[in-house]
Amino acid sequence: MNDPTEAPTVVDEFSDVPETWRGRVVPVLDFGSQYAQLICRRVRDAGVLSVLARPDVDLASLKAIRPRGIILSGGPSSVYEDTAPTCDPALFDLGVPVLGICYGMQIACQMLGAQVRAATGGEYGRAVLDITDDSDLLSGVATQTSVWMSHADQVSDLPDDFLPLARTTSCPYAAVRHRQQPFYGVQFHPEVTHTPHGAEMLGNFLFRICKCPADWHMTDFLEDQVRRIREQVGQDHVVCGLSGGVDSSVVAALLHRAIGDQLTCIFVDNGLLRKNERQLVEATFRDQFKVDLRVVDATVRFLSQLAGVTDPQEKRRRIGHCFIDVFRDAADDLSTTGQPAFLAQGTLYPDVIESGHGYSGASANIKLHHNVGGLPEELGFELIEPLRQLFKDEVRRLGEVLGLSESLVWRHPFPGPGLAVRIIGEVTAERLDLLRDADEILLEQIVAANQYRKTAQVFAVLLPVKSVGVMGDSRTHEQVIAIRAVESEDFMTADWARLPYDVLADISNRIINEVRGVNRVVYDISSKPPATIEWE
């Protein structure tokens, strides 16, 4: 029987923060926002270490890392709901500067005596911010600036303990600070690129208010991950699913740096790859990097599983399950000393949040990712995901630090399910060959026009419709290819790329003339949100 006088066990959520970095950390408490990790990333971009934590984090573990400041994220809930996530009110007695963003502002203001109610009309998208006090948080920002809003609730009554700092047309308290407590709140989102001066605002909080040193760099992340991987793996063996894309390549290089010959990479040719992708992977990793690489040709198995399937989520589900089976068989055949105990994957934060696996568990599911959730149980391995808290551009920076080639580090992303999610409708060998040829021409022209590094992702999509055309004085009824080209910094948001008309014309002309079965090319001009980057 437990002793009732015995102190309860405290789970230290920050046990992985090295002692050398305690006293220099700005944690972000995640109330369920899809942008919570983006806030961490913006803080890291400024040169300050940031980590994610639950909103109900134990204050003892929070005190133990001696935070320089604390940021409260946004979230989808309303603070006046019974089930709304909350934090310990004693947080505001720590004497540490706190910044509340959107929901984080609302929950903090409510705890400190303000009223929060549903707004008469919600604000979504860009809004004009009128700054009335630029003494600290908003220092150096023009008195009128654009910000990104996404809220249905807002602070309605502000007690005398608060000072208003800014307003919009429909939000009188768009930014506030407390007179006695070092608390600041903003109703808008400074962390997204749609708030042009958001970086300056966060910088004011970090350096003007919190007095943080700007001394955290990607090399610190690399050293920390090498240490963690070695501690986790010990003398065991790791198997890594290598696709040849940026994410898995950086994971492979990171693991090779940490554990050397204890790593084996498996490349599964699922028949859904870009043209000559398998040859490129073998030349790069087996010949250049001397990694222990095993290649498995499973084209027939994957295509048989996709026969007759048109639903996007079902495609992803079947590909994921088939990948598990193929990978398990390949792992069982490894001729290493003992069976591998760990599986390494290149999961990134956008994968996690789109799959509804955010830190607080309150994020919405947008689409299935075959490398997020479930694989450890299915495969019998313990999982290693060293990039799970990073965004794509941070992974590229890490790749550069690891010494990977520029051409590899700056490759455009390629989805785990491959061309299956770029073929709308049923996936067949014939449709795959057609799309591969169109995609190769597209990328050749993008590179030739010096647009590859100017865009974040460019690819072709095969649509499930046919259109009427004329070729050689004859009527045709053939396939339609859609071109998708986007610009993005972090892939959480993206805008369609304004490719020059002559480049688009050359792409269309080559695809229609060189790819048999295509007579029309269209250009996708959708942004994310509301669309996703991939079509499925």
Side-chain angles (χ1 to χ4, degrees), residues 382-435:
E382 185 176 339
L383 196 62
I384 297 177
E385 294 178 308
L387 311 183
R388 191 179 177 88
Q389 299 301 320
L390 297 185
F391 289 86
K392 179 67 74 173
D393 60 315
E394 292 183 302
V395 173
R396 296 191 198 279
R397 265 184 274 154
L398 178 59
E400 291 175 333
V401 171
L402 284 162
L404 295 176
S405 68
E406 180 181 357
S407 60
L408 179 58
V409 167
W410 288 97
R411 288 194 80 188
H412 285 183
F414 188 66
L419 297 180
V421 293
R422 294 178 179 175
I423 292 177
I424 313 303
E426 185 179 7
V427 179
T428 65
E430 294 74 21
R431 301 188 82 200
L432 282 165
D433 287 340
L434 186 150
L435 181 57

Side-chain angles (χ1 to χ4, degrees), residues 16-18 21 44 49 51 216-233 250-251 253-259 345 347 383-390 398 402:
D16 287 332
V17 176
W21 285 98
R44 295 196 296 261
L49 177 60
V51 293
W216 186 88
H217 306 284
M218 188 54 72
T219 51
D220 296 302
F221 178 86
L222 171 58
E223 292 170 2
D224 182 52
Q225 285 300 321
V226 167
R227 174 186 60 82
R228 292 189 192 196
I229 290 169
R230 287 173 178 168
E231 290 177 354
Q232 184 179 4
V233 173
V250 171
V251 166
L254 175 57
L255 285 162
H256 198 261
R257 171 78 64 92
I259 59 173
Q345 293 187 146
T347 307
L383 196 62
I384 297 177
E385 294 178 308
L387 311 183
R388 191 179 177 88
Q389 299 301 320
L390 297 185
L398 178 59
L402 284 162

Side-chain angles (χ1 to χ4, degrees), residues 36 58 65 156 164 185 276 355 377 519:
D58 182 84
I65 62 168
S156 57
N276 300 320
S355 300
E377 289 183 13
N519 69 357

Side-chain angles (χ1 to χ4, degrees), residues 63-238:
K63 288 180 183 178
I65 62 168
R66 306 185 298 280
R68 294 299 284 257
I70 299 169
I71 298 178
L72 312 181
S73 85
S77 304
S78 293
V79 298
Y80 43 78
E81 295 174 345
D82 292 338
T83 58
T86 188
C87 59
D88 191 332
L91 180 80
F92 303 102
D93 297 327
L94 297 178
V96 175
V98 178
L99 173 64
I101 296 175
C102 198
Y103 180 93
M105 169 186 172
Q106 295 167 13
I107 191 72
C109 286
Q110 183 184 68
M111 288 181 171
L112 294 171
Q115 294 294 317
V116 178
R117 296 191 179 92
T120 53
E123 281 184 303
Y124 300 96
R126 285 186 173 88
V128 176
L129 185 75
D130 290 308
I131 296 175
T132 56
D133 185 336
D134 63 355
S135 59
D136 41 30
L137 183 66
L138 304 176
S139 177
V141 181
T143 54
Q144 272 201 342
T145 186
S146 178
V147 296
W148 187 260
M149 290 283 196
S150 182
H151 68 101
D153 301 329
Q154 63 187 33
V155 175
S156 57
D157 297 301
L158 203 65
D160 291 338
D161 288 338
F162 285 87
L163 283 174
L165 305 180
R167 61 175 176 259
T168 67
T169 302
S170 58
C171 183
Y173 307 118
V176 302
R177 74 173 175 88
H178 198 273
R179 293 178 186 271
Q180 289 79 39
Q181 306 275 16
F183 169 74
Y184 298 79
V186 292
Q187 184 57 68
F188 53 89
H189 288 273
E191 71 274 20
V192 301
T193 55
H194 303 301
T195 298
H197 295 286
E200 290 98 311
M201 298 173 191
L202 288 173
N204 285 335
F205 177 72
L206 295 172
F207 305 119
R208 181 182 291 265
I209 296 169
C210 298
K211 311 297 184 186
C212 294
D215 58 357
W216 186 88
H217 306 284
M218 188 54 72
T219 51
D220 296 302
F221 178 86
L222 171 58
E223 292 170 2
D224 182 52
Q225 285 300 321
V226 167
R227 174 186 60 82
R228 292 189 192 196
I229 290 169
R230 287 173 178 168
E231 290 177 354
Q232 184 179 4
V233 173
Q235 300 301 311
D236 287 320
H237 204 85
V238 179

Side-chain angles (χ1 to χ4, degrees), residues 349-371:
Y349 185 73
D351 300 335
V352 175
I353 199 68
E354 285 189 339
S355 300
H357 291 269
Y359 195 94
S360 71
S363 304
N365 178 277
I366 298 170
K367 61 186 180 183
L368 292 174
H369 285 269
H370 80 280
N371 60 338

